Structures are given as structure tokens and as C-alpha cells.
Amino acid sequence: MKTNLIFLIPLLPLLGALFNLFLGRVIWRVAAGRDPSRRVVHFVAVGTVVASFAVALSLLVGPLFELFWKWHQGGKSGLSEALTQSVYTWIEVGNLKLDLAFRMDTLSGVMVMVVTFVGSLIHLYSTGYMADEPRYAAYFGYLNLFTGAMLILVLGDNLPVMFIGWEGVGLCSYLLIGFWFENNQFAYAGRKAFVVNRIGDFAFLIGMFLLFQAVGGLDYETLRSDAAMAAYRSPLWGERLAFWAGLFLFIGACGKSAQIPLYVWLPDAMAGPTPVSALIHAATMVTAGVYMVARMSFLYASSTAAMAVVAGVGALTALFAAIMAFAQTDFKKVLAYSTVSQLGFMFVGVGVGAYVAGIFHLVTHAFFKAGLFLAAGSVMHAMSGSGDIVKMGGLKKWLPWTHKTFVAYWLAICGIIPFAGFFSKDEILAGAWSAEGQGWLVGYGELLWVVLTVAALGTAFYMSRLYCLVFEGECRADDETRSHIHESPWSMTVPLAILAVFSVGIGFIGLPHVGGLPNVLESWLSASIARPDFHSTYPSIAESLHLSAQNHLGEGGLLLFMAIALVMGIAGIGAAWKLYRKGPSKLVADKSASGFAARIYQVVYNKFYVDELYDRIVVAPFRWACQALFDVVDKFVIDLIFVNGSAFVVGVVGRVARWVQNGQVHRYLGLLVVGAGCIFYFTREPTIDFSYTVSGGRVTFQADIGAGPSAIMSKTTELRWDFNGDGDSNDPEEQRFRNKTEAQLPIADVGSQVTLWYTDPVFKSTAKTVKPVDKNSDRVGGEQ
């Protein structure tokens, strides 16, 4: 099905960016002689994103009604027809033809709704949070540009169009993270995010090239065709093509979605404004990798090895990031490592084939994590910009709305029923336990479950620690800061309240398969996601998707796993509450003050020294190589030899020329004579050649003296002929033609070889030429 409205979804935010970054200032200065007001700036910025949400919603109302009608009729399948639009032919080279095309199916529809809805709330929140920002228009322009790029990413109908958005959000993350670039540390954080993402993007390109070489196309319909599915099974470098293509694409996802080892940029990204952190770390950029794996589920379903890598990296990241969050004292840093950890959960979901569970957690995480970051911004706004949770405490008295909404987000991420995180996290844990991939180690799925369960326990602990240190106990801020604590304006609290409502209610779209409960999200996504068949050598694309957990565990098993997840969440909350309810824990401080525990604490506090390790093994050698290239190539070869050296040579020649070119005519005349002599000398070498003609029993020879001094003085030229081939010119006939340029003889007097000597009359140098003679009648000869 085709429509002409899909392009408006990414276009509207891009138009907002165009206005706030370029046209608005020009138009207002021409019309009113000043820059547009802040009200105009944020009206355009917020309005374009809201309008994009409205367009997306209008396109999805019909399919939603169709889905519920099918349910009413007793059907279980979802929607099979996607909305597509081709704007124009973008690339057409050889066998490659790519359109700038957009695709609105059930999967991209979920992503678009999340991006535009949560993005609208973040834009609205920014109007209050950034009210005093001098570069107000630039900020909202970058925010609109980021949203437009993310919408291109999720709506692209082929991998290159997705890559446009992929690179777009990378650029905008650099602009937004380093927005306050006057601070060198913030500018460094922006550059770090940009460079680390480029590593993943390079691998993403390799994955695309492999797919194009194997399949001959990069649009999704071609990539999921029967011919493509067969190509994915072809061997490449000792493994299936699907493995290598999926692996390279996943490395790109690791950069964009901050997975091991490319996660190091995300904690530093807290340098940007807090609404930027909410936008990047909740609903948009960091979820791009999860969306890509789900979009390419037909590829990953063709290689259980690739799925094992995705799930394994996700599980390690979830646990690793959760541990690093334990000792952090900066509000936003805790949330940053929480984001890295939750993204690990999502990758485990899509890695074990529970694609719906992965996307479900993406959706729920978008709401409660955006709320957590915006609540952090509200707290820091009240604390005069400070984000040190050790200096907070007791803020629920001063920030009632922020506190109430934060409780909803906190319980959601801890996995407490009935909050959204409980349902989505439980689906991933159940899917991990039930996964059985061909070639996987025995118990690999169970191991993933154990790692995620420990990570979930850690999540509940460090998030509860955060809550207690910020809102419980007595306020530990100084008197001046305490005097300025106040609740945020409505433009900040209203988005917090809306996100809190969704942090509770959005979980009901993915209810577990117990008691006949409807799973709306599963039915909705069934047409867009491939179902991996772990027990078959060739995965099938199913019209309806049922998580493997349902078939393996049954209702009783699912209830058991839900209970275990809930107990883990409560245990983490209880432990943190006991330790941090009244402020920083004296027990933890005493235990971590000395001995082995202190060393462990320092390692965790310093994030396992991963950044320092990268600086030593990657950054330092790279800087050394760059310095060496600068010293050798730039300073020595280019500057000293080519630039300064050529200038020196020209200067020396100029000084010599000035000494000669001094206006004295007799010196000029002398140089003229010397030059003429040089010309005469260097052209002194004699040249000689001859040709002959055979006709009527006689041979006619013609000498060619050539040019130069010899030709000028040809009247005194000394020529000697040897016609009979005896090696000298003493025969009478030969003497008769001495110094003659033309000679005619009977054929009988001519040997098989003729020699001509020539003595230059000026320099007395001699040259000769020897040629064989063909005596055939009526023949012209002489070509050497």
C-alpha cells in the first residue's frame, strides 16, 4: 500500500531545524529588524514534532482499527501490508538502484510513535529547562535535526536510507553533547562520541557491502526474499554469510547503542544539556542498534552464531554497566550506566529471538528512562546545577511533583508490578532461559538468564540507592543551595507527569501469555519480525510470532519466572533502602576505606579503568603516530623541503638573476655571445643519413646531412662513400663522388652494403651510417 504522507513525518522536524538554524533569523531580520523571539523559536520546534506525531498517528489509526477488528472476529494474525513511499530515485549505478523511500509497517510505526511522542515531551520540557540559554534557537534547531534524522533512520525502506539517519543522529549527538563547547571537557565529550560512533559506522558499511555483494540489493523486500535467504546460508570465511554480515552490522549497533567495547562515549555524553541526555539515552539514538537488529531479524534468524554473539555481548554489557553504576555519585552518570545496562537487556532479547520482548523493553524504557533524565534535570535545576547526589537528600519536601513522578520511573526500572518495566524485563528473562540455538554451548540460554537476573538485582539496588540519596533523609546541601531549592515550572513538570502515567500504563500492551491475556504488541509486530526456528537448519518467516518462552515454559513456568524477577527487584530495593535510607551509608564507607574492599571500590568507582586502558593502548599510540607524521611529513617534507626549500631555491636564483640583470648593456651582450656559443656547442654532434633508389639498372644515392652547424656550412662538408663494401673510400669511383650529396652508379658497382662517412667542418667530428642495399629493380630503399 502506498501513501503520500509518510515523507512528512521526518520532513516536519527537519523544516523546524531549517527555520531555527538558518531561515528564521534571516526572515525576522528582514521583516522586523531583529532575531525571532524565544516564543517563536520553541513554537516552531515543538509544533513541528507534534505535527509529525499527528501525521504518524493518522497513518496508524486505520491499521490499529484493523487489528482490533481481527481480534473481534477471532483472528490472531497481525497486519501484513506496509505503507510505503518512494520520494525519488536516489542512486542508480549498474545493478544498484536505490530510492529515497520510506516504509511504515508495524515495527517502524512503533518506533515513530515513541520517537515523536517522547520527543515532543522533551521539546516541551526544554522550553523551561533552557529558558536562559543564549543560543536558544541553535539548541532547538539541533534538537529538531536530531529528531528528523532519527525518523529517517526508522522509516528508511532500505539500509542506505537507514544509514542517512544513522549518520545524522551521530552528527547531532556531537552537536548536542558538545553544545556548551566553551567548556573543553564538554567539547571533548562531543568529539569522543563522534569518533567512537565512526568505528561502529565503518563496520556497518562493511556489513552493507557484504549483503549487496551476496544479494544484489539493499532494500528490505530484496533482503528478505527467498533468494536472499538462500544466499545467507552460503559459506564465507569459514562461516555463513549471515553470520559475518550480521556481525558487522552488530558492531555498528554496538557503537550507536553503547555496547561493549564501544560504550565508553555514553557516560561522557552527560556533558550535554539534560533534555539532550533524555532524548539520546531514552527513545532515539541509543535504541537505533536494537531497532536495526529487529528490522534485520530475517538475517539474524539465519545464523544462530550471530544471535549468540548479540545476546552474549548484551548480557555482559548489562552486568558490567550495572556494576559500574554502584559507586557513581553524579546523578546523570548513574542514569547513563543504567541506560547502557538496559540496552544490554534489549540486545539479549533480540539476540535470543525474543524480538517482541526486545522492542517491548525499548518502548517501556523510552518512557521511564526519559522521565528519569528529565527528573534529574528538574532536581539539578532546583540544586543550582549541581548533580552530586551525595550533597542532596530530603528533596521530596521541596520537589513534590518531581518526587512523585520519579517514584513511578524508579519502580518501573526496578521491575515492580504493575509498572511497565516489570512486564518487558520479565519477557526478556523468560526468552533468554528458553533459547536453544544450534551450535550454542549447553546451558547458554540459562547462563544468559543468570547474568541478566544478577544485572536486574543490581539495577534495583543502584536505582534505589539513587532514590534514597536524592529524596530521602535530610538535605545535605549547603545553606545557599538549600535557599534556592524550588519545584520546576509547569513546562517541566507536565512532561514528567505524562511520562509517569505511561511508565505505569504502557506495560499493559505486552501482557504475558498467562490466563489468555492479550498481548497487543506481539500481535501488532508479528508481520514485521522473523521467527527463528532453532530446531531447523533453515529459519522460517512466520506470519504470527509467539515467544519461545511460551512453548517451553508454559503458564506455570512463566509465572515462576515473573515471581523470581519480582523478588529480585524487591531484594535490590530492600538492600539499598537499608543502607541509604538516611543518607550515604556509613557501613559502605567503612568497608571501602581500606583493604581489599577499598581496592575493589576504587576499581568500580573508576569504571574498571577502561577509559585509561583505551588511552594507553589506542589513543596514546595513535597520538604518537600522528605526532610522528606531523614531524616527518608535515614539518620536514612539506614545510622544510617543499615550502621553505622551494622558497630558498627561488630566492637564490633571484639573487643570482639580480646580479646579472643589472642594466649594463655590455654584460647583456657578453651573455648573448656565451649563450650562442653554448647553443653551437651543444648542437655540434653531426648527423648523417642517406636513401637510395634502384631504377633501370642503376642505383641513385642521396645523402641527408641534417640540421645544425653542419647544414649551415654544407658547402665545405666532407662526405666519403664506400659503395663496394670494402671498408674504405679509396676506389676511383668512390673518390669521384667525394663531398657529393648525390651519387649514381651501375648496379654491378654496388655491393650489398653501403657506408657514408661525414666529417663536421666546424668541430671536425665524424659520423657514419651503414645500410644494406636491395638491388631489386624499381625499388626505393633507405629506411633504416
Side-chain angles (χ1 to χ4, degrees):
M1 183 184 298
K2 295 188 177 181
T3 179
N4 295 321
L5 294 178
I6 300 178
F7 79 100
L8 289 176
I9 299 174
L11 179 62
L12 288 169
L14 294 178
L15 291 177
L18 181 64
F19 178 87
N20 282 323
L21 292 176
F22 303 106
L23 297 183
R25 180 175 298 179
V26 175
I27 294 172
W28 247 255
R29 284 185 175 179
V30 171
R34 59 180 176 82
D35 290 342
S37 66
R38 291 173 180 257
R39 179 173 297 180
V40 171
V41 168
H42 66 239
F43 176 80
V44 171
V46 178
T48 52
V49 181
V50 172
S52 181
F53 169 75
V55 173
L57 184 61
S58 69
L59 294 177
L60 294 174
V61 166
L64 277 170
F65 178 80
E66 179 186 346
L67 176 65
F68 287 111
W69 178 254
K70 285 185 176 181
W71 274 359
H72 178 70
Q73 298 296 321
K76 294 183 179 180
S77 63
L79 307 174
S80 59
E81 194 170 13
L83 306 175
T84 61
Q85 181 179 16
S86 177
V87 180
Y88 65 88
T89 299
W90 176 28
I91 299 174
E92 189 170 7
V93 179
N95 295 328
L96 176 63
K97 181 179 180 181
L98 292 172
D99 291 343
L100 184 64
F102 300 111
R103 177 188 188 88
M104 175 76 90
D105 59 8
T106 55
L107 177 59
S108 58
V110 169
M111 293 297 298
V112 167
M113 295 304 293
V114 170
V115 171
T116 54
F117 184 73
V118 177
S120 298
L121 295 177
I122 294 172
H123 278 69
L124 177 61
Y125 179 95
S126 297
T127 62
Y129 189 85
M130 302 293 286
D132 299 324
E133 171 58 43
R135 298 172 61 223
Y136 196 73
Y139 169 80
F140 277 100
Y142 295 156
L143 218 59
N144 274 167
L145 186 63
F146 190 102
T147 305
M150 187 65 192
L151 291 171
I152 291 174
L153 189 155
V154 300
L155 286 172
D157 193 31
N158 52 65
L159 284 177
V161 175
M162 174 191 278
F163 194 69
I164 294 175
W166 195 274
E167 290 297 283
V169 294
L171 169 64
C172 294
S173 68
Y174 163 76
L175 296 172
L176 288 168
I177 294 169
F179 184 74
W180 290 317
F181 58 85
E182 297 87 352
N183 185 315
N184 288 332
Q185 184 179 357
F186 294 173
Y188 173 79
R191 293 196 302 271
K192 184 176 181 179
F194 188 81
V195 171
V196 173
N197 272 273
R198 297 291 74 71
I199 297 171
D201 296 348
F202 180 72
F204 191 99
L205 286 173
I206 295 176
M208 281 202 300
F209 297 156
L210 286 176
L211 289 177
F212 176 71
Q213 181 185 27
V215 181
L218 291 173
D219 60 280
Y220 297 137
E221 291 301 326
T222 301
L223 291 174
R224 65 184 295 159
S225 64
D226 292 338
M229 298 299 293
Y232 297 153
R233 294 176 292 165
S234 60
L236 180 66
W237 306 329
E239 184 54 78
R240 285 185 177 187
L241 168 71
F243 171 79
W244 290 108
L247 179 63
F248 282 114
L249 292 176
F250 176 63
I251 294 173
C254 286
K256 202 64 66 182
S257 297
Q259 297 295 285
I260 292 174
L262 301 178
Y263 71 92
V264 292
W265 67 270
L266 193 143
D268 290 346
M270 298 301 101
T274 299
V276 171
S277 301
L279 190 64
I280 292 177
H281 300 157
T284 54
M285 176 174 164
V286 294
T287 60
V290 181
Y291 166 77
M292 185 275 296
V293 175
R295 170 60 70 192
M296 301 295 292
S297 58
F298 49 83
L299 173 68
Y300 287 93
S302 302
S303 173
T304 54
M307 296 179 70
V309 172
V310 174
V313 172
L316 288 176
T317 304
L319 180 60
F320 193 59
I323 295 173
M324 287 189 285
F326 288 164
Q328 301 305 310
T329 57
D330 182 86
F331 202 145
K332 291 170 63 177
K333 282 287 182 70
V334 176
L335 297 181
Y337 284 108
S338 170
T339 298
V340 176
S341 182
Q342 296 305 304
L343 288 166
F345 275 86
M346 298 177 207
F347 276 108
V348 172
V350 296
V352 299
Y355 297 108
V356 171
I359 296 299
F360 186 23
H361 197 55
L362 183 156
V363 173
T364 59
H365 177 267
F367 288 98
F368 63 67
K369 184 52 65 66
L372 286 168
F373 272 110
L374 296 186
S378 180
V379 170
M380 294 169 63
H381 180 77
M383 297 291 294
S384 304
S386 173
D388 189 352
I389 60 177
V390 177
K391 297 179 180 179
M392 296 180 186
L395 294 185
K396 65 182 180 180
K397 302 174 185 178
W398 286 279
L399 310 175
W401 279 104
T402 301
H403 169 253
K404 291 174 183 177
T405 57
F406 190 92
V407 168
Y409 314 139
W410 163 49
L411 295 177
I413 195 173
C414 290
I416 303 301
I417 194 169
F419 296 88
F422 168 79
F423 298 104
S424 59
K425 196 176 296 185
D426 173 70
E427 292 281 6
I428 293 175
L429 290 170
W433 179 273
S434 306
E436 298 175 3
Q438 285 187 342
W440 287 10
L441 296 174
V442 176
Y444 187 67
E446 290 82 352
L447 177 63
L448 293 174
W449 179 84
V450 171
V451 173
L452 290 186
T453 301
V454 175
L457 174 64
T459 300
F461 177 81
Y462 68 72
M463 288 304 301
S464 300
R465 168 182 175 268
L466 175 66
Y467 168 79
C468 292
L469 290 178
V470 173
F471 293 103
E472 295 295 330
E474 297 297 327
C475 184
R476 298 176 296 278
D478 57 67
D479 293 339
E480 182 180 357
T481 302
R482 190 180 305 179
S483 64
H484 292 93
I485 298 177
H486 60 282
E487 184 61 276
S488 300
W490 72 267
S491 60
M492 298 170 65
T493 55
V494 168
L496 289 176
I498 296 173
L499 289 170
V501 171
F502 276 89
S503 295
V504 179
I506 198 68
F508 292 97
I509 68 172
L511 294 174
H513 292 280
V514 291
L517 294 175
N519 192 312
V520 179
L521 187 63
E522 182 180 301
S523 297
W524 176 260
L525 291 176
S526 60
S528 302
I529 295 178
R531 176 180 179 271
D533 186 351
F534 289 129
H535 302 286
S536 171
T537 57
Y538 186 59
S540 62
I541 305 297
E543 287 297 320
S544 61
L545 174 66
H546 297 283
L547 294 178
S548 56
Q550 181 189 13
N551 299 325
H552 284 73
L553 299 177
E555 288 192 8
L558 285 175
L559 289 173
L560 175 62
F561 277 89
M562 292 168 64
I564 294 174
L566 182 60
V567 168
M568 288 296 175
I570 295 174
I573 293 174
W577 184 266
K578 183 174 180 61
L579 291 171
Y580 296 100
R581 178 183 56 191
K582 297 180 180 180
S585 173
K586 186 176 184 303
L587 176 63
V588 173
D590 292 340
K591 292 292 184 181
S592 59
S594 62
F596 181 73
R599 290 193 290 272
I600 294 297
Y601 178 82
Q602 286 300 317
V603 170
V604 174
Y605 180 78
N606 290 285
K607 300 157 287 188
F608 291 90
Y609 298 100
V610 172
D611 285 286
E612 290 78 4
L613 180 64
Y614 279 173
D615 283 340
R616 178 162 296 185
I617 66 175
V618 177
V619 178
F622 181 76
R623 285 179 174 171
W624 180 88
C626 291
Q627 187 65 43
L629 287 173
F630 172 72
D631 291 336
V632 175
V633 177
D634 196 345
K635 293 179 66 175
F636 179 74
V637 177
I638 297 177
D639 290 347
L640 184 61
I641 296 179
F642 289 128
V643 178
N644 298 333
S646 60
F648 175 77
V649 171
V650 171
V652 170
V653 172
R655 285 193 292 273
V656 173
R658 285 196 300 272
W659 178 78
V660 176
Q661 299 287 343
N662 59 4
Q664 298 179 9
V665 178
H666 64 279
R667 187 172 294 182
Y668 294 168
L669 184 60
L671 290 174
L672 178 64
V673 172
V674 171
C678 290
I679 294 173
F680 226 70
Y681 176 79
F682 288 112
T683 59
R684 75 186 189 281
E685 292 296 330
T687 59
I688 188 66
D689 195 8
F690 69 89
S691 60
Y692 64 90
T693 304
V694 179
S695 178
R698 300 183 68 82
V699 183
T700 303
F701 295 92
Q702 182 69 46
D704 181 10
I705 300 174
S710 306
I712 296 173
M713 306 184 70
S714 59
K715 292 183 179 180
T716 59
T717 296
E718 296 185 10
L719 293 174
R720 293 179 294 119
W721 295 91
D722 174 19
F723 296 118
N724 55 19
D726 61 0
D728 59 44
S729 57
N730 298 325
D731 294 341
E733 192 71 14
E734 295 166 347
Q735 288 291 329
R736 185 165 67 90
F737 292 107
R738 189 181 182 88
N739 295 332
K740 303 288 187 181
T741 59
E742 183 176 333
Q744 191 177 67
L745 293 85
I747 292 178
D749 295 339
V750 179
S752 60
Q753 182 175 279
V754 174
T755 302
L756 174 63
W757 288 273
Y758 162 60
T759 301
D760 191 309
V762 179
F763 300 103
K764 303 302 181 182
S765 56
T766 302
K768 76 174 182 177
T769 182
V770 180
K771 290 184 179 181
V773 177
D774 185 355
K775 300 180 182 181
N776 292 332
S777 177
D778 299 326
R779 181 178 179 86
V780 178
E783 295 299 328
Q784 199 166 359

